[in-house]
Amino acid sequence: MSGHSKWHNIQAKKGKADAARGRVFTKLGREIAVAARNNPNPSTNSKLADVIAKAKAANMPNDNIERSIKRAAGELGDKDYKELTYEGYGVGGAAVIISTLTDNNNRTAGDVRAIMSKHGGSLGTTGSVSYMFDNKGLIVVERVPGLDEDTITDYAIEAGADDVVTQEDVYEVYTSVPAFSDVRKFLEEKGLTFLSAELGMFPQSRITLPDDKLETFRKMLDKLEENDDVQTVWHNVELPEEEDEE
């Protein structure tokens, strides 16, 4: 199995400081609550189980996870949160996909449009950039003593994963969307700890921006991530030194 993209160079940067980490936990809490709304049992709700795994990989405390599940029927009872995805372009023609959870479509669309416009970008129509991405699952496992490349590859094949990429300090396990839950569960049962576990939009190739445009693009990412309705931002820009920043 082989591949080419680094997991930390695909996503917008997350949780570098305490405030950012708290924001990530808040967004994960909303995602958990939405997933748990109709069925709070992760044993029979695979979507909830996947989100919980994602939260644990982000080091979200168990108490926070449990509170989010309990809030599903209460706090969200009078709110109709919807998952909406926006596509568009950043400065320099960068492709951007923004996933949101919102109870006010107009507010969220207006906020996203304003942030992108202020930083030299624009919203596009559905399908305008998504064709440049692959929708799949990614489980990132830390390289630790006793877990060699042959072992993780054997696990991945047995679990039904599509690909394993060996990086300097992690193994990246890629899956199809339908297989993600089963692969995640299989690797959990093998006792593996995840650094990241989620479905996402992965660029088929990446672009490099000149320094001035890269700075503007980073500022746009920061502003999008600060927005309460924005869950995740996917893009096709190479972010130098992102490994050191995270």
Side-chain angles (χ1 to χ4, degrees):
M1 292 183 172
S2 63
H4 60 275
S5 58
K6 293 185 178 181
W7 68 283
H8 38 238
N9 279 340
I10 294 170
Q11 295 174 282
K13 50 193 182 298
K14 297 179 180 177
K16 294 186 298 181
D18 289 343
R21 188 171 296 108
R23 193 160 56 242
V24 169
F25 288 170
T26 297
K27 293 182 179 186
L28 283 169
R30 180 184 292 184
E31 195 170 345
I32 290 169
V34 169
R37 189 169 190 175
N38 295 321
N39 180 359
N41 184 357
S43 297
T44 56
N45 183 342
S46 61
K47 183 174 182 179
L48 175 58
D50 289 343
V51 179
I52 290 174
K54 176 181 175 181
K56 288 182 175 179
N59 295 317
M60 186 174 182
N62 287 332
D63 287 348
N64 293 42
I65 293 173
E66 292 173 3
R67 282 199 300 271
S68 296
I69 293 174
K70 291 178 181 178
R71 277 203 305 266
E75 180 183 296
L76 297 181
D78 59 347
K79 294 185 178 181
D80 182 20
Y81 280 102
K82 295 181 180 179
E83 299 179 54
L84 295 177
T85 300
Y86 299 92
E87 301 181 31
Y89 302 90
V91 65
V96 181
I97 298 178
I98 304 159
S99 65
T100 69
L101 275 178
T102 179
D103 61 340
N104 187 319
N105 299 3
N106 292 333
R107 178 193 66 219
T108 304
D111 288 348
V112 169
R113 182 180 293 106
I115 291 170
M116 297 186 73
S117 176
K118 185 176 180 180
H119 295 88
S122 61
L123 275 182
T125 57
T126 299
S128 58
V129 302
S130 57
Y131 71 93
M132 293 185 275
F133 294 73
D134 293 324
N135 187 12
K136 53 189 174 181
L138 172 59
I139 300 170
V140 181
V141 181
E142 186 175 11
R143 293 186 66 176
V144 295
L147 183 64
D148 58 28
E149 186 173 359
D150 288 342
T151 300
I152 188 68
T153 299
D154 287 345
Y155 285 167
I157 292 173
E158 187 176 353
D162 290 341
D163 200 6
V164 172
V165 179
T166 300
Q167 301 290 357
E168 182 178 352
D169 52 357
V170 300
Y171 297 111
E172 304 167 353
V173 181
Y174 291 90
T175 79
S176 66
V177 172
F180 177 75
S181 294
D182 288 339
V183 174
R184 173 193 56 74
K185 185 176 180 181
F186 182 93
L187 296 181
E188 281 180 346
E189 291 173 349
K190 291 296 183 181
L192 303 188
T193 300
F194 306 148
L195 297 178
S196 174
E198 61 185 308
L199 294 169
M201 300 296 291
F202 298 86
Q204 296 161 5
S205 62
R206 294 188 295 277
I207 66 172
T208 301
L209 296 177
D211 289 346
D212 56 338
K213 291 184 178 180
L214 180 62
E215 181 180 359
T216 299
F217 186 77
R218 286 185 185 274
K219 289 179 179 177
M220 185 188 76
L221 293 183
D222 287 341
K223 290 300 181 182
L224 286 170
E225 289 179 347
E226 289 172 7
N227 186 282
D228 290 340
D229 296 335
V230 174
Q231 293 295 113
T232 310
V233 182
W234 303 93
H235 59 81
N236 68 342
V237 175
E238 192 75 57
L239 296 181
E241 301 178 0
E242 188 170 0
E243 295 176 51
D244 296 331
E245 292 177 0
E246 292 196 351

